Amino acid sequence: MAEVVESSNNNIVMPKLITFLSSLLQRVSDSNDLLLLHQHQKISVFHGLTRPTISIHSYLERIFKYANCSTSCFIVAYVYLDRFTQKHPLFPINSFNVHRLLITSVMVAAKFMDDLYYNNAYYAKVGGISTLEMNFLEVDFLFGLGFCLNVTPCTFQAYCANLQREMLVMEPPLNFADSSLISLGKSLKSHLCFNNEDNESSHQHQQLAV
């Protein structure tokens, strides 16, 4: 079994985007949990039998601490989650599936974005699931996305902007000229692939925004 490796930087600081992303996903999950009481929702392979006891924020902190993937992977994972829910509206994000969706989306994003990344066995250990389940989740997630993994710089910045709006929900108005998300969006242009067919970027309806 893969051993979880401690980050080499013991003083690493949790980026604010992790906090804001977890806040957004928590509100979406809570909202869909209420809908679950009143309307039928299909069960997917990401659906657990019980709600995990670990919070979304703590789970993201754990992934960030041990996965050692680039910060941009969390934005790309956010893009993937939104694409997945739009392609499968009968499988909304809720408290029963959000954790498995998170670990899978971050792992897929790391494989697509980073030159170096851990294998499935390691991510399974980080996520608290078996390697076999991690493998199944990855395949299902990729097919669920239609293998649409490309993210343009324009799309990336649009999702950064959505997380900036989440900042305003959680905190007083910030100086956006100093925003780390803006800087991240600008610096990632050289790392993201360009796809002229991906024109939904800034006009795409983001179901993860509530």
Side-chain angles (χ1 to χ4, degrees), residues 28-47:
V28 170
S29 177
D30 291 343
S31 176
N32 286 329
D33 281 349
L34 292 177
L35 292 177
L36 186 61
L37 300 175
H38 304 288
Q39 66 184 42
H40 175 70
Q41 295 180 9
K42 289 188 176 181
I43 304 298
S44 71
V45 296
F46 298 93
H47 196 96

Side-chain angles (χ1 to χ4, degrees), residues 90-186:
L90 294 180
F91 299 129
I93 292 177
N94 56 47
S95 59
F96 289 93
N97 61 28
V98 62
H99 296 76
R100 286 177 172 81
L101 283 169
L102 268 175
I103 190 65
T104 308
S105 61
V106 172
M107 183 183 75
V108 171
K111 289 185 176 183
F112 188 76
M113 294 289 296
D114 293 350
D115 294 328
L116 298 175
Y117 51 83
Y118 289 112
N119 60 22
N120 288 27
Y122 184 86
Y123 271 95
K125 184 71 173 178
V126 172
I129 58 178
S130 69
T131 302
L132 181 62
E133 183 176 10
M134 188 79 263
N135 294 340
F136 277 123
L137 293 179
E138 179 186 28
V139 171
D140 196 84
F141 192 71
L142 289 171
F143 275 98
L145 289 174
F147 291 88
C148 182
L149 302 180
N150 185 51
V151 177
T152 66
C154 189
T155 298
F156 186 93
Q157 291 184 352
Y159 281 80
C160 282
N162 198 56
L163 286 180
Q164 287 171 344
R165 288 191 288 272
E166 185 69 16
M167 290 181 187
L168 295 179
V169 173
M170 297 183 63
E171 295 185 346
L174 301 176
N175 181 356
F176 283 89
D178 297 328
S179 171
S180 59
L181 286 180
I182 288 182
S183 300
L184 180 63
K186 291 180 179 178

